[in-house]
Every structure is written in C-alpha cells, then in structure tokens.
Amino acid sequence: SSRITKQGGPEVSLTPVFFLILLLLQTKTGIALLYDEISENAYEIRLKLSKEVLTIQKQDVICVSGSDHSANHRTVKLRRQPVGGLGLSIKGGAEHKVPVVISKIFKDQAADQSGMLFIGDAVMQVNGINVENSTHEEVVHLLRNAGDEVTITVQYLREAPSFLKLPLDSPEPSSDHSSGASSPLFDSGLHLNGNSTNTAPSSPSSPIANEPKYEKRWLDTLSVPLSMARISRYKAGTNKLRSNAFEVLALDGVSTGILQYCTTQESVDWLKALSTNINDLTLQNIKLANKCCSPSEQVIHMGWVNERLQGTDSPQLYKFKFLALKGSSFYVFSSPPVSTLDWVRAEKIYNLCEVLFKVHKLWLNDDCWLQANLYLGIHQDYELEDQRPYCFSVVVGHGKSHYFNVELGSELAVWEKSFQKAIFLEVQRTGSKTYTCSWQGESLCFTLDFALGFTCFDNKTKNVIWKFKFSQLKGSSDDGKTRVKLLFQNSETKQIETKELEFQDLTAVLNCIHSFIAAKVASLDPLFIESQSIARKFTYNN
C-alpha cells in the first residue's frame, strides 16, 4: 500500500507484505515418517503446520462418487493382458509379519485402468481365496495361475511400513531369477504375468458406469495444539539423540509419535518451524497472563525444560519441567500454570535475588564451541560429562541446585537473557536485602543496598559498624558451609580490610551479593553484561 505525502512523494508501507511473510513462516507442509519404536516400522505421513496446530495426515482411499457397499474393502475384477499381465507389482508377505501390498501400478495397464486399485492396497483375497496370512511366494503363485480374469479384494493399508514402498528399481538380493523366485521385500511384477490363453489383445479392464469411484487422499488423523507444547529429541530414559527425529507433545500429553525425516536439513527446518510457533504462542500466553498481574508481578519468561533427576541410580535421567520467571520469584512446575490459581501449586518457588544462573559450557578438544554438529545429532562420539548440550543450572539456597537441559541453543540464550532481566528487575524493585549474621560473636544485620552497597549494623542499637560501596569489594572466600570472608579496600588508606561473617544460609547470601553487583554493573554499563553472555555468543548458528 502507498499514499502521497505533503511533499508529493510516495510513502510506502510494507505492513501487508510483512504479515504475509510472517504467515508463510508460521505455516508449513511436508512428508515425514512416523516411526514405531516397538515394531521398528515407519510409514509415511503428511504434516501440516499452522500457527497454533500441528496436524498429522494419513493417506486413505475414499469413495468420491457412486455407491460404496463396503467402506473397508474393494473387490476389483481385472482382465489379464497379453503384455503387462495384471499391470501391478506386490511386496510383503506373512514371513515378514506384514501383509502383501500393491507396491507399483503400471500406467495404462489393467490395474491402472480399473481406477479402483492403489499403491498401498493390502491384498485380502484372490478369486475368493483368503491370502491375509499367506507368504509372498504363495500370493505370487496364486496370481500367476488365477486365469485371464482375476478378482482381487483389497483394503488400503494406511500404516504400510516404509520398506514396502521401496522404488521398483531398488537392487534386489541374490535370488534364482531363472526359477521365478521373488523376494517379499522387493517388487514382484513380471512374475504375475502368467500365460494368457487369448491370442488376440483383450480389451483392458474399465470401471462400470454405476460402480463407485475412489481416490487416494491425505486425511487429518491427529491434531496437536502447540500452545504450551514441548519437543523431545531424546530417546526416553537415555541421553541418546534420535537421528533426524523428534516428537511433539501437547499440553494434555497427546503425542505426535516419533517424527522421522530423510535428511538432517529437513529435521532442522521442522524443528525451527515448530519451535518458532511454540515460542510465539508462549509469548501470547505471557501477554494474557500479564494483563491480570500488577507491574511488579509480570511474567518475564516461561517454558519447558528437562531436569536431571537427583539421587537416582542413573545420573543421566531427565524429566520434563515447566519453569517460569514471574515478579520476584522463580517457579518450577510439573505442568504449566493455566490459571491464576495454578501459580500457588508450583513444586518449588525461589526468590530471584537468591538464585544464581549458570550456563554449562561443553568444549571440544580443539576448544571449539559445540554447535551445530551436536545440535543436529551428527557426532555422538565425544566423551562429554553430561552428553547433552545446552545445559544450565540454577543454584539456590543451602548449596542446592537444579540442573536443566533445553532442546535448542536458541532456547538456552533466551533463558540466560530472561534470568538476567528478571533478577535485575527484582534487585531494582527490592532496593535492599537484609540478613541476620554473626560477627566476632555478636548478632548483627548485614544489608545489601542497590544504591549504597554493603552495610553492617547492630540489630539492637541500629548503630552502623562498617559500610562499603560495591566497588570497594576486592575479593571473597568461604568455607562452603556458613562462613565468608569479604575483602574490602579502604577508600582512604587503600588498605584491604577483611570482614568475616557467618550466615545460616550462606549460599542465598552469596547469590544475592552476585545479583546486586551484576544488576549494578548492568545499570552502569549494559553493553558489558551483553558481551559476557555465554549462550548468545556461542549457541546461535546460521
């Protein structure tokens, strides 16, 4: 769209174009394989991604006109042609615990001209003889010797294993072709010609006018809402990345199953597209939640992570958790809060001033950051302590910590930035934090003040014993239990003064000191904090 300015020049607005591009980025269609870990079979499905839903479609044969007497089975009469025979190939057989299916239909030959047979049809009967439990060779023999007119009853196999749809020219295993032997995993086509008794070419099969007509179509079978959904690329109970595969789980636990892709690039493209839509919906949920919250209780960020379980026999077991940064608190949930009442049902709630966010770096031997290769699951032979990239921990009071992993590098960067923002906002809102401590046998109060720095005063008389600015802190050491030594530089004498204090929860105090100093630095030099971001520096890829 465009309009004319007062100066007479055109002013171009790209808003419609921008929204069109945004819509295209949020929608996507493509073919994938749905993998069954129990049977180890995979079959083709079609994915349809919209802004809010991922839909799985499976192929089926439906009646588009005429009278369909049997919704599940179709019975077709074929007249064998002197050249081309029945015009189809088959694969499968009972010896491989799969039905015999039509794997190829040759153009303009008998099966094709019938209009009622499709690749993926399972052969149920041949001339009234049930072949559901027959071997491949038995069905081949039956079709070859069925005469010039063959009646086939079929049912479309929606979940045909992918190996039943190998290309016709796939290399076959060694077999005795001279004897007519065939392999159940490869097309048997020429074997089905048989010997026609007709000397003149017979007219091809054709559908009768009042017979039903069929088409093969993609039909919606499962819709997975993306709001609060999560993606998992790891095999359950392990640290093994699925090769070019992942599953999407909805808020209510409904799963797509394992979606497998032919190439790494396809897998990455779909991961990014799904992650983008899930993140956009999360932002919408955050905005809705914040409309009901006061300015001091705004949600900064929330989302799914994997938490490494503590105290288990296997240190590599993870469980899904939902984290949220809201107001003054860091929340850990087993499932997302969908109403205002759910916020009080968190498994853990910590004060943001008293937590410490730490990114865990995984380095290779040549000191290169582990980026796309491990992210794509290509290299699994590195001896890493955790064997999962994109990990962070949150250290809380009394020396405890939570260890988390996210699926994508970009998610790690967002969590790092969000923790910084939430902590800095809380420090500025709080202004000061006071802890009870003991010093030289006396019960004192130790205060962190965003404007003034460190102050220690007598709890009874309120007399200030000593105070220093944040910039005067030159070092510290602690015993890992209750005692800490703070080293301050006297602004007049330039000498180092040691102040030794004892706290009941030393970890909380040290984390709070870190939060106040980092927030102070960020307020004075935001670019410095930005430059120190580990995750944003190393985990974003092209």
Side-chain angles (χ1 to χ4, degrees), residues 439-454:
W439 178 63
Q440 294 182 352
E442 299 180 29
S443 179
L444 304 174
C445 289
F446 175 76
T447 295
L448 292 164
D449 190 282
F450 187 70
L452 302 176
F454 303 91

Side-chain angles (χ1 to χ4, degrees), residues 374-388:
L374 190 52
Y375 159 64
L376 300 175
I378 296 173
H379 297 301
Q380 292 293 295
D381 52 347
Y382 300 111
E383 294 183 2
L384 301 170
E385 178 183 355
D386 184 74
Q387 297 181 4
R388 285 196 180 198

Side-chain angles (χ1 to χ4, degrees), residues 190-292:
L190 298 178
H191 306 86
L192 307 183
N193 285 345
N195 297 314
S196 176
T197 58
N198 295 332
T199 56
S202 59
S203 58
S205 306
S206 60
I208 302 173
N210 62 350
E211 282 191 351
K213 294 182 179 179
Y214 298 88
E215 286 185 6
K216 186 191 288 187
R217 293 183 180 176
W218 289 106
L219 303 179
D220 294 354
T221 57
L222 179 66
S223 293
V224 179
L226 297 179
S227 179
M228 301 292 189
R230 59 189 189 269
I231 298 173
S232 176
R233 297 186 297 131
Y234 292 89
K235 293 182 180 180
T238 73
N239 278 332
K240 294 182 179 179
L241 278 169
R242 295 187 175 102
S243 179
N244 299 336
F246 56 85
E247 66 176 320
V248 182
L249 299 100
L251 176 61
D252 60 1
V254 173
S255 170
T256 58
I258 301 168
L259 305 177
Q260 198 170 54
Y261 298 87
C262 296
T263 67
T264 298
Q265 190 58 53
E266 283 182 312
S267 175
V268 172
D269 290 344
W270 274 98
L271 265 175
K272 289 182 177 179
L274 283 163
S275 178
T276 297
N277 287 16
I278 291 173
N279 291 339
D280 288 347
L281 292 172
T282 300
L283 290 175
Q284 290 183 19
N285 290 327
I286 290 174
K287 289 179 181 179
L288 289 174
N290 286 341
K291 287 183 179 180
C292 305

Side-chain angles (χ1 to χ4, degrees), residues 58-68 70-74 115-118 121 155-156 158 212-220:
K58 297 180 181 178
Q59 273 190 327
D60 209 343
V61 173
I62 63 171
C63 182
V64 295
S65 66
S67 176
D68 184 12
S70 175
N72 296 323
H73 297 79
R74 281 165 281 124
M116 295 180 66
L117 294 175
F118 301 88
D121 279 338
Q155 177 184 7
Y156 187 74
R158 299 176 71 189
K213 294 182 179 179
Y214 298 88
E215 286 185 6
K216 186 191 288 187
R217 293 183 180 176
W218 289 106
L219 303 179
D220 294 354

Side-chain angles (χ1 to χ4, degrees), residues 397-429:
H398 297 287
K400 298 180 180 178
S401 66
H402 294 269
Y403 191 92
F404 302 109
N405 154 259
V406 290
E407 300 285 337
L408 303 174
S410 55
E411 292 179 311
L412 180 61
V414 170
W415 277 114
E416 182 186 35
K417 185 175 182 180
S418 298
F419 263 93
Q420 285 181 352
K421 180 180 179 180
I423 291 172
F424 295 169
L425 286 175
E426 177 56 19
V427 167
Q428 292 174 349
R429 275 194 302 262

